[in-house]
Amino acid sequence: MILGWLYMDVSIVIPVYNSDAILMDLVARLYPVLVANYDLYELILVNDGSKDDSWGVICSLVEKYPWIRGINLMRNFGQHNALLCGIRLARYEAIVTIDDDLQHPPEEIPNLTDKLNQGFDVVYGPPMHQQHGLWRDLASIITKTSLQATVGVETARMASAFRAFRAEVRNAFDDYRGSFVSLDVLLTWGTSRFTAVHVRHDPRRAGISNYTFLKLVHHALNMITGFSTLPLQLASIIGLSFTFFGLMILLYVIGNYFIHGGSVAGFTFLASIIAIFSGVQLLMLGIFGEYLARIHFRSMDRPSCVIREIREPSEIGDRGEQ
């Protein structure tokens, strides 16, 4: 639904990966929405190491439309890294991120930016009805639950790749240089004024999703260990609990000696106790290892992305022409 003139300039940032078959349709859907609702607007297409001809299509779109800009990354850095690259180059006061598969209808963009006009800083567009399979939906739930545990924001449970936020929020992570990026976590560094608007969610127009169940679970684990000390706190609680459990076992053994006059019989009992405590120790070492690995990678100062090329239109106008 078009809400009328919103008096807000907008930058649309889209990470592109193997989407040469759908980019033309995406631009055709975006243009009437932008021209009908915004004074100044731009579309930033970030090619995240696509293996098809996505960059060639982006270059042709930049040459054809003065409101489109193209960024070509040196390799595939990941969706959030590509988004961060485009966000840092966005010029207008509202920034909107959407996927390149048209599952996020461009016609819903004004619903998000209208909420920004009501005083919010970040607006998510979670789907009314998911169009994914069982495993993908389960992985999404795990990811969103991890995000909520990481940032402590209730709205995080409704987080979506379809989001709008004020450009000022990015000032909070201007100096962030880590190789692992979670845009939703970074947004919480700048504001606590979040809200969500449920939007239509369409079937994917072409290709298949690049996010598998394992990739989403891995992303959730990276997000927890990369931006939260929750696993370390859990490690302390588990360690304390098993220390108490060990003391109970010791009291049981001592009590059995004084009451029955002998030690606790059975190799199975002893082997089970050793296995339990050894497993807990390895688990704790694994958690500490994850944090040490992040310190190691951070000390290497790996960039979040590397730009190969930026394509700008020859004449950047206030309003594009279809």
Side-chain angles (χ1 to χ4, degrees):
M1 180 181 66
I2 301 298
L3 299 180
W5 202 270
L6 298 178
Y7 299 102
M8 177 173 281
D9 306 331
V10 66
S11 296
I12 311 295
V13 180
I14 302 179
V16 177
Y17 185 71
N18 294 343
S19 299
D20 58 355
I22 200 171
L23 287 176
M24 292 291 187
D25 291 339
L26 177 61
V27 170
R29 290 271 299 275
L30 270 171
Y31 178 75
V33 175
L34 297 177
V35 74
N37 290 278
Y38 307 99
D39 185 14
L40 303 177
Y41 51 86
E42 66 177 351
L43 170 62
I44 301 176
L45 297 171
V46 185
N47 181 42
D48 189 24
S50 297
K51 298 177 182 179
D52 60 7
D53 191 38
S54 292
W55 179 241
V57 175
I58 291 173
C59 290
S60 65
L61 288 170
V62 172
E63 292 175 0
K64 187 175 182 180
Y65 303 117
W67 49 280
I68 298 180
R69 305 163 66 194
I71 302 173
N72 191 24
L73 301 184
M74 293 285 287
R75 64 171 178 83
N76 180 262
F77 286 90
Q79 181 187 43
H80 286 249
N81 298 60
L83 279 172
L84 181 60
C85 178
I87 287 168
R88 284 174 167 164
L89 295 177
R91 295 176 300 198
Y92 296 135
E93 61 181 306
I95 300 174
V96 177
T97 69
I98 65 175
D99 287 342
D100 59 354
D101 54 13
L102 282 177
Q103 285 189 301
H104 302 148
E107 295 80 10
E108 299 280 4
I109 292 175
N111 293 324
L112 272 62
T113 54
D114 183 55
K115 279 291 184 180
L116 293 180
N117 282 328
Q118 296 177 23
F120 295 99
D121 293 324
V122 181
V123 182
Y124 284 115
M128 297 177 183
H129 304 287
Q130 291 279 9
Q131 298 290 335
H132 304 306
L134 173 62
W135 288 108
R136 174 67 188 275
D137 291 342
L138 177 60
S140 296
I141 292 173
I142 294 173
T143 302
K144 292 177 182 179
T145 303
S146 301
L147 178 63
Q148 185 182 26
T150 301
V151 300
V153 179
E154 182 63 29
T155 311
R157 294 185 65 88
M158 293 185 287
S160 167
F162 193 14
R163 58 176 81 80
F165 58 93
R166 298 182 183 275
E168 294 86 353
V169 178
R170 68 183 170 185
N171 295 335
F173 48 88
D174 266 348
D175 297 328
Y176 181 76
R177 293 293 180 268
S179 58
F180 176 75
V181 177
S182 175
L183 184 59
D184 300 306
V185 175
L186 295 181
L187 290 173
T188 64
W189 291 5
T191 183
S192 59
R193 300 169 72 177
F194 288 76
T195 191
V197 177
H198 284 88
V199 299
R200 191 176 82 248
H201 194 249
D202 294 338
R204 188 181 179 91
R205 291 287 297 273
I208 60 175
S209 173
N210 296 298
Y211 272 111
T212 63
F213 174 78
L214 291 179
K215 283 184 177 180
L216 285 172
V217 172
H218 184 257
H219 175 74
L221 293 175
N222 280 336
M223 183 164 49
I224 292 178
T225 57
F227 297 95
S228 169
T229 59
L230 179 62
L232 292 176
Q233 295 170 347
L234 289 177
S236 299
I237 294 173
I238 293 174
L240 183 62
S241 300
F242 274 85
T243 299
F244 180 75
F245 176 68
L247 289 175
M248 294 297 101
I249 295 296
L250 178 61
L251 291 176
Y252 169 72
V253 171
I254 294 175
N256 186 79
Y257 174 79
F258 283 109
I259 295 174
H260 298 98
S263 61
V264 178
F267 171 78
T268 304
F269 174 81
L270 180 61
S272 299
I273 296 301
I274 293 175
I276 290 173
F277 279 90
S278 297
V280 171
Q281 288 175 344
L282 290 175
L283 174 62
M284 300 304 103
L285 287 175
I287 293 175
F288 298 150
E290 284 289 330
Y291 280 89
L292 287 175
R294 298 206 171 275
I295 294 173
H296 169 67
F297 286 122
R298 190 63 182 268
S299 68
M300 294 170 62
D301 201 23
R302 293 173 58 185
S304 59
C305 66
V306 180
I307 298 175
R308 182 185 299 275
E309 182 182 0
I310 297 179
R311 284 292 182 96
E312 300 277 3
S314 55
E315 294 183 4
I316 301 178
D318 288 348
R319 300 173 66 89
E321 295 183 1
Q322 182 77 350

